[in-house]
Amino acid sequence: MTNQITKDMIIGDILQVDRGVIPILMNSGMHCLGCPSSQMESLGEACMVHGIDADELVGKLNSYLQTVSQ
């Protein structure tokens, strides 16, 4: 599994990369992590639906992953 998040990744796959991303997603306004759509929807699609800046969120997620991989 990759340690670099992209907005094309499926949310369910992102959660498998590191469960520590959950608070970042929740705090960004993405409260649908348990929703069946999260298993089929890309991060970019979910951001569009929720009115979230996908590039900003990807940056936060990747910054977090960099800190835990050091």
Side-chain angles (χ1 to χ4, degrees):
M1 191 68 62
T2 183
N3 281 342
Q4 185 75 13
I5 304 296
T6 69
K7 53 187 171 181
D8 296 324
M9 290 179 72
I10 302 298
I11 294 171
D13 293 340
I14 293 170
L15 298 177
Q16 291 177 16
V17 171
D18 187 311
R19 303 294 280 179
V21 300
I22 292 172
I24 298 167
L25 293 167
M26 296 287 284
N27 289 334
S28 295
M30 201 164 294
H31 302 120
C32 58
L33 302 180
C35 171
S37 294
S38 72
Q39 300 305 309
M40 302 175 291
E41 193 170 47
S42 73
L43 181 62
E45 292 167 336
C47 285
M48 185 176 62
V49 168
H50 292 285
I52 299 168
D53 183 320
D55 293 321
E56 183 179 327
L57 182 54
V58 166
K60 288 179 184 179
L61 294 169
N62 285 322
S63 290
Y64 162 78
L65 291 175
Q66 283 181 343
T67 63
V68 296
S69 68
Q70 294 178 350

